[in-house]
Amino acid sequence: MEAPHDQHPAPPPQAPPGDRTGADGTGSTSGPEGAADGPRNETTLTVPTADAMRALGLRLAGLLRAGDLVLLTGELGAGKTTLTRGLGEGLDVRGAVTSPTFVIARVHPPLGDGPPLVHVDAYRLGGGLEEMEDLDLDVSLPDSVVVVEWGEGKVEELTEQRLHVVLTRATGQDAPPGEGVAPSGEGVGDTGSEGAEDVRTVTLVGVGPRWAAEDFGALG
């Protein structure tokens, strides 16, 4: 469940993957922050509905293994938690996957022989990895799949091999005030409703040798 707007103020707009022009007009690292420090494997998919987003997460889970770090980037209601819910189903972990906003991190133990899922919301953590020491992510990562919402620029130090997932509304437009949030506080991307406003583009950027040979296109 994405956090409501009164909990997460809208972040500043981000350049799309591959845009090398920063906010000041100067060149910047192509793609997600820090994603140019190793081999890159990049694919963009169109996801038409919230159910399809969850299904994408389920399929993506089939590629994940212990030691994988997944960074989710996207505006409010883009479907980050919906995708993570699918990951949890695919990894067969215990407990419903919801936004961990108020606890920062939540651990979902495996029901079978797979790795646990560590689901982190780094929105309120303004600094880098040092602010996350109490979460012991560096200890958890070798034995877990760690998924961090709002983690770009904060947790890349954990590993040089990681998967960046950037979710954007296909229209590139924010919902008008008062729209896009269900009465429960869920974002449009998490309500399960269908319509043009639910269409998302999902760009997967694998960084490092771990991801070089993965066929992301087969997830579509």
Side-chain angles (χ1 to χ4, degrees), residues 29-211:
T29 299
S30 177
E33 183 173 343
D37 54 359
R40 289 166 54 99
N41 177 11
E42 181 171 337
T43 297
T44 297
L45 306 172
T46 298
V47 183
T49 66
D51 285 343
M53 184 70 76
R54 183 184 59 80
L56 173 61
L58 197 152
R59 293 191 297 274
L60 179 58
L63 304 181
L64 299 178
R65 62 193 187 211
D68 285 341
L69 174 65
V70 181
L71 278 64
L72 302 184
T73 301
E75 62 181 328
L76 296 168
K80 297 183 296 298
T81 302
T82 297
L83 180 68
T84 308
R85 191 171 297 129
L87 291 176
E89 291 180 28
L91 292 171
D92 192 25
V93 297
R94 181 179 301 124
V97 174
T98 59
S99 175
T101 300
F102 299 109
V103 295
I104 305 299
R106 181 175 288 114
V107 178
H108 297 272
L111 294 172
D113 297 329
L117 170 65
V118 180
H119 184 199
V120 182
D121 185 334
Y123 185 86
R124 289 184 170 82
L125 302 178
L129 188 60
E130 65 277 1
E131 287 196 25
M132 306 184 76
E133 288 182 352
D134 290 342
L135 301 180
D136 290 329
L137 292 184
D138 54 338
V139 175
S140 301
L141 182 59
D143 301 316
S144 309
V145 171
V146 176
V147 177
V148 185
E149 298 187 29
W150 309 99
E152 189 171 313
K154 299 176 182 178
V155 297
E156 286 89 347
E157 297 172 44
L158 282 171
T159 175
E160 293 180 353
Q161 304 194 75
R162 54 192 179 270
L163 177 62
H164 294 252
V165 182
V166 182
L167 300 88
T168 58
R169 297 180 189 273
T171 61
Q173 301 295 324
D174 292 330
E179 296 184 15
V181 178
S184 63
E186 293 184 342
V188 169
D190 288 51
T191 61
S193 61
E194 297 186 4
E197 72 275 10
D198 288 315
V199 178
R200 304 288 188 263
T201 58
V202 177
T203 301
L204 300 103
V205 182
V207 178
R210 157 71 180 94
W211 298 103

